Structures are given as structure tokens and as C-alpha cells.
Amino acid sequence: MPEERRRGKVRDLFPIWFGVNVMPLTLVTGVLGVTVYGLSALWCVVAILIGNLLGAVLMALHSVQGSKLGVPQMIQARAQFGMYGALLVLGAVIFVYFGFLASILILARDTIALLFPFIDGVGGLIFCAAITLVVVVVGHDLIHRANKVLLVLFGAAVVILAISLIANGSDLGIAQTDLGFNGIGFMGMISTAAIWQIAYAPYVSDYSRYLPSTTPSRPAFWFTYLGTVLGAVPVMILGALLVTVVGEGTVESLVSLLPGPFKVFVLIMLFLGAIDAAVINLYGPSLTVLTIFQTFKPDWIPQARARNAVAVVVAILATVVAGYAASNFLDSYYGFIHFLSMLLIPWSVINLVDYYVIKKGDYDPEAFVDSTSGYGKFNVPAVVAYVVTFIVELPFSVTFYVGPIAKALDGVDLTWAVGSVVSLVLYLGLVRWSGGSRPNIENNSGSLQPSAAGQA
């Protein structure tokens, strides 16, 4: 992003990452702690706190990179993996986008259907996808403006829900719930909450890259970190408490505790929060797909029209996926969220180690679109570290494929811990063995040329 096009203030990051977390999918994530992992409300709350506080550290560290480099996060992956090596990560990230976008569309439809019952079924999914697509076409500025306006309203919705649950929980004896500790479920919920935050990492810097390059790193970190933690934690906790209070964890059961006017207000805010998150999960894959195309045609600078065309295709495909997944949503989402950790954590660790430890933020963004200089076609240490880490994680897998070590540990999910340690040690070791990091190019031009999706 050229310096003359950068604008905004670092505090604008807070409403974005607060708002996208106030949505039904965050609530459902908290519900998993009680319904799937078998935790008591107390231990579920503790696990939610630990997971979010840890995962958000990685997410916010990625956010800092945006203003410093001025490029989308996935273009920056070329600095670690090489021009073509980054395609491995781009493919994995597109899977992440589709999974989240489909999940959000399902819950957005279910939420608005509680107000307007005729917006249901496939038609409801199309309706939610169409609204999301319109916002993406209008562009980035609308996302920022909308989140600034809605910040207080999102916060009010969370407070109303919390007061309602506390009041009803007291009547129904929530304090008398079983406090027994379930180690397997506890580790599973920590992993789920952490990967919820890490899942934002592939596109968090897409919203900080518009800030001036002089933006200090510390405020960028904290406005992102506090926004995403303060948005996600209360809503996840509400999901956990909801099951304890009423016996099920749906948006319908949640708003059933509210009187009429408050019910309508909260449903509207949850729907807007879902659309807010859906926009980010549609905007992101559009840029990622353009990045893939531009890999094979480096001289092509995609414009907004190309981004919008890709967004249309992605929205249609995500709607189809949502239609198939809706009938068995909770099980599909549970499996998806755990598989995410196997894909995202190795990339996140490699990216952060390369940026903060090896190159110390010293990159040449112009070289991100030139495979003949700077970062080359493949960076073997990063590609090998990513693939090997994924293979090492497989025996610890607890969903889709249940690995032998996971079986021996009675289903304890350690993929996030194993992935973090293995990718860290392996990447650092391979970089040192290969003679250190690649030399960075001296940027003599004084200005940055547009990169892939840079004008989109």
C-alpha cells in the first residue's frame, strides 16, 4: 500500500476486532466447552480465558506487520516461503476462509430467521451472502466506518445478554453445577479458544496495512489484542453459561431469556456481527485468490473489479458449502476448528519467527512480486518445516483422522502445542543449517510499487 494512500488511526483497529467477535459463531464456540468437551461452566470459563489470551498474542503480532510492510498478510508469506512455496500456505488459508464463511452464513441466516421466519433455508443463505457481497464490493472504508458506529451497540448487546443470563442463572441454580475437572475437555477447549484467535492471523494485517508506516508497533499490538479478546471472551463465556442455564446453546434459547424490545435489539446486533465477520471472511479469500493468480503473472496488478469478480465466485461456493453443512453444523464445526490448528499454527510460527527473530522486520516489499530476486521461488527451510510439522501433528490429530498418540492420550488435543514447538525448532534449525536467512534487497526506489491485490 503506497504511503500516500495510507490513512486512519491505530485505535481504529479496536472496533474492527471487537465487532467481528460479537456474533453467533463465537457463542457456539463457547457452547462446545460444555456440550462437546463436557466441562463445567467454571472450568469452561477458565479454558476460554487461557486459550483466548494465548492465541490473541500471535494474532496481534501479525497485526503489527501490516502497517510496517503495507501488503496483505498472505503476500508477505512469500518472504518466508518464496514466490511459489507460498502457494502451499495460500491453499491452506483458502480452506480456512471457506470453512469460517460457510459457518458464519449458516448462523447469520438462523439469527435473522428468528426475526423474519420467511428468511430461511437456502434462500436465507443466499440473502446473507448477498448482503456480505455488497459490503465487500463497496470496500474497506465501509468496514471501518461501520465498526466505529456499531462499537457501542455491540458492547450494549453483550452487556444485556450477560445481565439476562446472570439473572436467570441465579433463578435456575447455576452456582450449583458440577465443578469436577475434565483434563481432556479442558485442553480441548483451550485449543479451540486459541485457534479461534489464530484463525484471524491470515488476514489481520489486511486491516492494519492501511495505517501509516510510522504507526508504532506497541499500540498496533494492544488495540488489536484488546479488541479481539474483549470481543471474543465475553461472548464465548455467554455460550458456556447458556447451556448451563437453559440446557442448550442456540441463539434462539439465548434470546428467549430477553423481553421483546431487548430480544429484537440483540438479534439485530448478532446478525450485524455475523455479517461483519462474513465480510472479512469474503474479502480475505478474494485477495488470496488474486495473490495466487498474480504468482503466475507477476506484472499483473489486480484492480477492484478483479477482486469483486472473485468475491462473487467465492460467495457462491461458500453458500453451497453452507447448504450442505447446515444439517450437521455442530459436528462439522467441531472437526473444522481442530483441523485449523494443524494448518495455521506451523505457518503462524514460521512467519513470526522469520519476521521478529531472523529478519527483524527488515523486508523489501517490492521483492514480494519478483521471483527472480529477493526471496526466490522456494524457501526450502520454510516449506520443509511446514510440511514436516504437519506430518508430525497427524498422530496427535483428534478430528477427521484420530491419530494413535491421540488415542493413547484418550483424545487430549495437543496438536497446537506440538505444532508450535516443532515448527519453531525446525525452522530455526534449518535456517541456521542453510547458512542463515536470505539477504534482503536494498530498496533504492524510495517508494513501494503496488503488489498483488494492492489496488484491490
Side-chain angles (χ1 to χ4, degrees), residues 27-323:
L27 186 84
V28 169
T29 304
V31 168
L32 293 176
V34 178
T35 59
V36 175
Y37 296 119
L39 294 175
S40 67
L42 175 63
W43 285 113
C44 188
V45 169
V46 175
I48 287 170
L49 282 169
I50 294 174
N52 276 284
L53 291 174
L54 292 176
V57 171
L58 300 185
M59 183 265 204
L61 286 173
H62 285 291
S63 179
V64 171
Q65 299 171 355
S67 62
K68 300 304 179 186
L69 299 176
V71 298
Q73 187 74 61
M74 287 297 96
I75 290 179
Q76 194 220 355
R78 293 170 175 169
Q80 293 89 46
F81 291 83
M83 188 79 163
Y84 296 113
L87 294 174
L88 177 69
V89 179
L90 295 176
V93 167
I94 287 177
F95 172 81
V96 172
Y97 280 127
F98 269 104
F100 270 116
L101 181 55
S103 300
I104 293 167
L105 289 177
I106 292 170
L107 293 178
R109 177 206 58 188
D110 293 346
T111 301
I112 196 64
L114 294 174
L115 283 175
F116 306 102
F118 60 88
I119 305 178
D120 203 358
V122 175
L125 292 174
I126 295 174
F127 172 78
C128 295
I131 294 177
T132 303
L133 183 60
V134 168
V135 178
V136 169
V137 169
V138 172
H140 173 273
D141 288 345
L142 178 60
I143 300 172
H144 273 286
R145 289 197 297 267
N147 278 283
K148 289 179 185 178
V149 173
L150 294 174
L151 175 62
V152 175
L153 297 178
F154 281 137
V158 173
V159 171
I160 290 171
L161 289 172
I163 293 173
S164 175
L165 270 178
I166 292 172
N168 286 276
S170 176
D171 294 339
L172 295 175
I174 189 173
Q176 300 177 13
T177 57
D178 179 23
L179 299 181
F181 179 76
N182 173 7
I184 296 175
F186 187 71
M187 293 299 295
M189 191 61 215
I190 289 177
S191 176
T192 297
I195 198 61
W196 173 269
Q197 294 293 349
I198 296 171
Y200 288 124
Y203 48 93
V204 62
S205 70
D206 294 355
Y207 298 88
S208 57
R209 70 187 177 108
Y210 291 90
L211 297 174
S213 60
T214 55
T215 301
S217 297
R218 186 169 296 179
F221 175 91
W222 283 112
F223 277 112
T224 302
Y225 184 87
L226 293 176
T228 193
V229 169
L230 293 178
V233 168
V235 181
M236 286 189 190
I237 290 176
L238 289 175
L241 296 181
L242 176 63
V243 180
T244 306
V245 172
V246 300
E248 57 179 305
T250 64
V251 174
E252 183 176 10
S253 61
L254 179 63
V255 297
S256 68
L257 303 176
L258 299 171
F262 290 104
K263 175 180 177 179
V264 172
F265 170 73
V266 168
L267 282 173
I268 291 173
M269 297 316 301
L270 288 175
F271 175 73
L272 291 177
I275 295 299
D276 192 14
V279 167
I280 287 178
N281 281 277
L282 179 56
Y283 187 83
S286 301
L287 296 184
T288 303
V289 170
L290 292 177
T291 301
I292 293 176
F293 290 161
Q294 196 261 356
T295 299
F296 301 99
K297 194 175 181 181
D299 294 333
W300 177 55
I301 305 299
Q303 304 297 322
R305 181 179 298 178
R307 184 202 69 200
N308 295 337
V310 173
V312 171
V313 175
V314 173
I316 293 172
L317 293 176
T319 303
V320 173
V321 172

Side-chain angles (χ1 to χ4, degrees), residues 259-391:
F262 290 104
K263 175 180 177 179
V264 172
F265 170 73
V266 168
L267 282 173
I268 291 173
M269 297 316 301
L270 288 175
F271 175 73
L272 291 177
I275 295 299
D276 192 14
V279 167
I280 287 178
N281 281 277
L282 179 56
Y283 187 83
S286 301
L287 296 184
T288 303
V289 170
L290 292 177
T291 301
I292 293 176
F293 290 161
Q294 196 261 356
T295 299
F296 301 99
K297 194 175 181 181
D299 294 333
W300 177 55
I301 305 299
Q303 304 297 322
R305 181 179 298 178
R307 184 202 69 200
N308 295 337
V310 173
V312 171
V313 175
V314 173
I316 293 172
L317 293 176
T319 303
V320 173
V321 172
Y324 280 104
S327 61
N328 193 29
F329 173 72
L330 196 60
D331 289 341
S332 299
Y333 179 63
Y334 168 72
F336 168 72
I337 200 76
H338 278 279
F339 190 62
L340 279 188
S341 65
M342 300 175 65
L343 295 175
L344 289 183
I345 286 180
W347 160 77
S348 178
V349 171
I350 290 170
N351 173 278
L352 294 176
V353 168
D354 192 77
Y355 184 90
Y356 288 100
V357 178
I358 297 175
K359 297 190 176 73
K360 302 184 187 304
D362 183 19
Y363 293 91
D364 177 17
E366 289 187 8
F368 292 165
V369 295
D370 184 2
S371 63
T372 64
S373 63
Y375 309 108
K377 295 180 179 179
F378 293 93
N379 183 6
V380 174
V383 173
V384 170
Y386 185 87
V387 174
V388 171
T389 299
F390 181 80
I391 294 172

Side-chain angles (χ1 to χ4, degrees), residues 394-426:
L394 286 174
F396 296 87
S397 173
V398 297
T399 55
F400 297 141
Y401 164 75
V402 180
I405 297 180
K407 290 179 180 178
L409 296 174
D410 294 326
V412 175
D413 182 17
L414 295 178
T415 52
W416 60 279
V418 171
S420 298
V421 174
V422 172
S423 56
L424 171 65
V425 174
L426 190 57

